[in-house]
């Protein structure tokens, strides 16, 4: 709470009506060191599973298509065919897709599918693409096998399990085969093979989300946190809310103005969170010491408002936003 108040004071002093920040001050913060033990274990298991894989499907968040992809996964990819699925396309700005594809092409990533795995949008493209890539690539020690074995990789909470379940719904008319959740780290270990298609016979292996042991910069970590790949409390909802406001203004996404009843777009996170708290009824009981004793007063709950602001962004209620 104390850190949130300090941030609100700094924002109030540093912002001016009608003007937006050109860069974000992270205040010397470092969010680049989160690498839990299960991630290191998952990476080891992933490498051991690679030998049995014909193709790799890397799943990433379409809101950060260029940021946060784990460079270690590129090493893991080796010489196997590789498809990049940019999931949650329904939350990203569709007008940015051509630019994103051009950037990825420059990075030698030419097999890209924008998808919404919860609604099965564009997921049907994946099986034919995998089959075509595998059939036109060396299979080495798996040359005699008639089935396809696919490893699904990516950072936490980008929808790897949702993709597997979507493929099963579309091709096998089956329900969930692997748990799905809104928090990073649901899949803790490499699972057994899961069939997702009959013709061609195709199995997928889900893997735990793996972040880089050290992220390239703090801003990349902030974008990953906003999209749910890093637990909020490790970064701090207060600075995440402030960075989100900065990012929305930078992208000229001003839907928050109408949603929270502001007079105009602004760069003052304190003012925005005040309106969020009022609009969402986020209040808290605070004990105040007076001359006649303790008195309970209802005050705006700024930490809860920051969390609501983040939730609205993640649910797409603040518009379709691409942070890169």
């Amino acid at each position: 709470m104390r850190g949130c108040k300090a941030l609100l004071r700094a924002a109030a002093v540093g912002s001016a009506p009608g003007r937006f920040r050109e860069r974000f001050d992270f205040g010397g913060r470092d969010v680049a060191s989160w690498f839990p033990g299960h991630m290191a274990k998952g990476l080891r298991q992933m490498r051991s599973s690679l030998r049995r894989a014909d193709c790799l499907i890397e799943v990433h968040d379409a809101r950060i298509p260029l940021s946060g992809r784990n460079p270690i996964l590129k090493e893991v990819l080796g010489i196997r065919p590789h498809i990049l699925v940019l999931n949650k396309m329904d939350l990203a700005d569709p007008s940015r897709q051509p630019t994103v594809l051009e950037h990825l092409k420059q990075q030698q990533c030419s097999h890209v599918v924008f998808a919404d795995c919860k609604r099965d949008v564009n997921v049907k493209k994946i099986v034919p693409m995998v089959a075509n890539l595998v059939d036109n690539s060396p299979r080495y020690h798996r040359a005699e096998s008639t089935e396809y074995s696919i490893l699904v990789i990516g950072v936490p909470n980008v929808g790897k399990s949702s993709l597997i379940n979507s493929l099963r719904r579309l091709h096998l008319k089956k329900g969930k085969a692997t748990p799905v959740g809104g928090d990073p780290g649901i899949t803790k270990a490499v699972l057994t093979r899961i069939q997702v298609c009959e013709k061609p016979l195709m199995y997928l292996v889900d893997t735990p989300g793996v972040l880089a042991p050290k992220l390239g910069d703090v801003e990349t970590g902030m974008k990953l946190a906003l999209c749910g790949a890093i637990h909020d409390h490790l970064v701090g909802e207060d600075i995440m809310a402030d960075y989100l406001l900065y990012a929305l203004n930078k992208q000229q996404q001003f839907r928050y103005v109408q949603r929270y009843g502001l007079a105009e777009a602004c760069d003052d996170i304190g003012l925005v969170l005040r309106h969020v708290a009022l609009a969402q009824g986020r209040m808290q009981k605070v004990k105040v010491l007076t001359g006649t004793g303790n008195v309970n007063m209802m005050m705006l709950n700024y930490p809860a408002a920051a969390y609501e602001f983040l939730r609205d962004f993640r649910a797409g209620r603040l518009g379709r936003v691409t942070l890169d």
Side-chain angles (χ1 to χ4, degrees):
M1 181 68 181
R2 198 161 44 237
C4 191
K5 284 181 178 176
L7 179 67
L8 297 180
R9 283 197 299 271
V13 171
S15 62
R19 297 185 61 185
F20 302 132
R21 288 164 284 185
E22 294 182 4
R23 66 179 189 85
F24 188 83
D25 181 8
F26 291 98
R29 290 185 182 233
D30 180 13
V31 295
S33 59
W34 188 55
F35 195 73
H38 76 267
M39 288 195 180
K41 179 182 178 184
L43 189 57
R44 288 195 300 271
Q45 291 178 318
M46 194 185 300
R47 282 179 168 141
S48 68
S49 300
L50 185 64
R51 190 172 177 272
R52 300 184 296 275
D54 296 307
C55 180
L56 293 105
I57 296 179
E58 179 190 356
V59 186
H60 200 58
D61 196 307
R63 293 169 293 182
I64 46 171
L66 309 175
S67 294
R69 292 174 60 204
N70 190 341
I72 292 178
L73 297 182
K74 295 178 184 176
E75 297 171 20
V76 173
L77 295 178
I79 56 175
R80 298 295 191 279
H82 168 229
I83 292 173
L84 174 61
V85 175
L86 291 172
N87 189 30
K88 307 183 185 181
M89 62 175 287
D90 56 309
L91 301 176
D93 183 351
S95 69
R96 303 288 292 277
Q97 288 187 13
T99 305
V100 168
L101 289 171
E102 185 57 38
H103 277 288
L104 290 170
K105 191 176 180 181
Q106 292 171 11
Q107 298 173 10
Q108 282 74 53
C109 186
S110 53
H111 303 289
V112 182
V113 177
F114 285 90
D116 173 6
C117 295
K118 285 190 175 179
R119 298 174 182 82
D120 303 333
V121 177
N122 286 349
V123 178
K124 276 195 172 178
K125 296 179 179 179
I126 294 172
V127 164
M129 188 181 290
V130 167
N132 183 58
L133 279 174
V134 174
D135 290 345
N136 289 285
S137 304
R139 295 186 76 191
Y140 305 103
H141 59 280
R142 290 182 50 78
E144 303 303 318
S145 177
T146 57
E147 65 186 41
Y148 299 88
S149 182
I150 316 299
L151 199 62
V152 182
I153 61 176
V155 301
N157 203 27
V158 288
K160 297 180 294 297
S161 300
S162 294
L163 172 63
I164 291 176
N165 293 331
S166 176
L167 286 167
R168 283 174 60 84
R169 278 195 302 271
L170 287 169
H171 297 285
L172 295 177
K173 311 303 180 191
K174 301 279 188 182
K176 290 183 180 179
T178 182
V180 175
D183 293 317
I186 294 295
T187 304
K188 298 291 186 184
V190 177
L191 302 175
T192 54
R193 298 194 314 161
I194 302 165
Q195 185 180 351
V196 294
C197 190
E198 187 70 47
K199 293 181 181 179
L201 184 57
M202 189 174 292
Y203 293 88
L204 265 61
V205 178
D206 195 8
T207 64
V210 178
L211 288 169
K214 186 164 180 60
L215 298 173
D217 57 81
V218 178
E219 188 156 19
T220 295
M222 193 64 69
K223 290 178 182 179
L224 284 164
L226 281 180
C227 294
I230 299 175
H231 286 289
D232 292 349
H233 70 273
L234 294 169
V235 182
E237 288 91 342
D238 50 359
I239 193 170
M240 288 173 63
D242 195 23
Y243 181 82
L244 174 57
L245 178 62
Y246 159 79
L248 291 172
N249 289 334
K250 186 178 178 182
Q251 301 286 350
Q252 297 188 340
Q253 296 276 1
F254 302 128
R255 192 177 292 186
Y256 70 87
V257 174
Q258 181 180 3
R259 179 164 180 81
Y260 305 127
L262 279 82
E264 60 181 354
C266 76
D267 216 10
D268 181 349
I269 188 59
L271 179 60
V272 172
L273 292 185
R274 175 179 173 79
H275 278 78
V276 174
L278 289 169
Q280 305 291 340
R282 295 299 171 187
M283 309 292 289
Q284 60 182 339
K285 191 179 291 185
V286 177
K287 192 172 287 187
V288 178
L289 182 61
T290 69
T292 57
N294 292 336
V295 176
N296 288 326
M297 294 182 62
M298 296 302 293
M299 298 183 68
L300 297 177
N301 189 335
Y302 282 93
Y307 176 68
E308 285 295 326
F309 191 37
L310 298 174
R311 263 202 350 174
D312 280 348
F313 164 71
R314 290 167 178 163
R317 290 188 282 266
L318 303 181
R320 299 178 66 174
V321 183
T322 298
L323 295 172
D324 286 336

